[in-house]
Amino acid sequence: MTATIEPTIIEERLPSAAARLSLTPTGSVPGLLDGAWWPRSRDLLREIPTLTDALDACWGRITHVTVNPTHWPVIPRKVPVTGHTVRVGWFAAEQDPNKVILLSYTVGRLDLLVIPPEEEPAAAARLMAAATSPGGIRTAGGLMADEAISQDAAEAHSREEKWETDGGAASADGAATGISSSTPAPRR
């Protein structure tokens, strides 16, 4: 996958909804992730200002953001945000594709799980809770893989349940298989 890097684009910001963001509790045991962010699109020019607006007041001015280009089709070099400009960098091999790193001169670094914009709300809530667990030892990619496995298992269970309720599985008396309860079972 290739990333398109665009020169600095200065545009008037469009109003957007509040950031969907969850951070680990202040003072908790540090983990591999500091929280989770659920952007509404894959447009960094539109999403970074919303994220920095939510974080600047409580965490300190965000000056740099790094991403993996796997999930971001266009990566601007600079993004104008409220009161300053955020520089954006990318690392293809070195950074987890499911993570964004935010840097602040005053406080340091935040590593956030990036939940795909198209994710279902229930799955996003589970991922946000997992990413904000104090002392968490799961990586961003590990949490996404766990969620994919969980969703696959839930879908398989749902298909099996539907099959059973439609008469596909044998009932306790064997009615679905054509064996009547009055017919003795074959000897083994």
Side-chain angles (χ1 to χ4, degrees):
M1 164 144 199
T2 60
T4 304
I5 305 211
E6 299 212 351
T8 303
I9 300 171
I10 306 292
E11 293 181 4
E12 193 172 315
R13 283 185 54 197
L14 300 172
S16 59
R20 299 183 292 188
L21 177 69
S22 183
L23 299 173
T24 54
T26 305
S28 63
V29 176
L32 292 180
L33 294 170
D34 300 301
W37 173 46
W38 186 21
R40 288 178 167 76
S41 72
R42 295 197 185 277
D43 180 357
L44 286 171
L45 199 58
R46 176 175 225 133
E47 297 296 334
I48 288 176
T50 304
L51 180 61
T52 60
D53 284 350
L55 289 172
D56 279 357
C58 67
W59 194 70
R61 178 180 272 192
I62 304 299
T63 57
H64 292 81
V65 173
T66 66
V67 298
N68 181 307
T70 302
H71 299 300
W72 304 101
V74 176
I75 301 173
R77 292 177 190 240
K78 296 179 182 178
V79 176
V81 301
T82 305
H84 66 288
T85 300
V86 172
R87 296 186 187 284
V88 182
W90 60 274
F91 298 98
E94 300 86 358
Q95 186 169 329
D96 187 327
N98 300 297
K99 182 170 78 172
V100 63
I101 298 172
L102 307 161
L103 301 172
S104 166
Y105 286 132
T106 56
V107 179
R109 170 179 165 162
L110 273 179
D111 290 30
L112 301 177
L113 166 68
V114 178
I115 300 169
E118 61 276 359
E119 191 65 69
E120 295 293 323
R126 286 190 300 274
L127 286 164
M128 283 191 161
T132 58
S133 175
I137 58 170
R138 299 295 294 156
T139 63
L143 288 174
M144 294 303 295
D146 290 350
E147 181 60 29
I149 290 168
S150 173
Q151 286 180 0
D152 289 347
E155 287 173 13
H157 179 71
S158 176
R159 284 191 306 268
E160 182 178 318
E161 198 171 83
K162 184 176 188 290
W163 184 68
E164 287 180 4
T165 58
D166 288 346
S171 62
D173 65 357
T177 60
I179 301 173
S180 71
S181 58
S182 60
T183 307
R187 292 189 138 188
R188 293 185 189 177

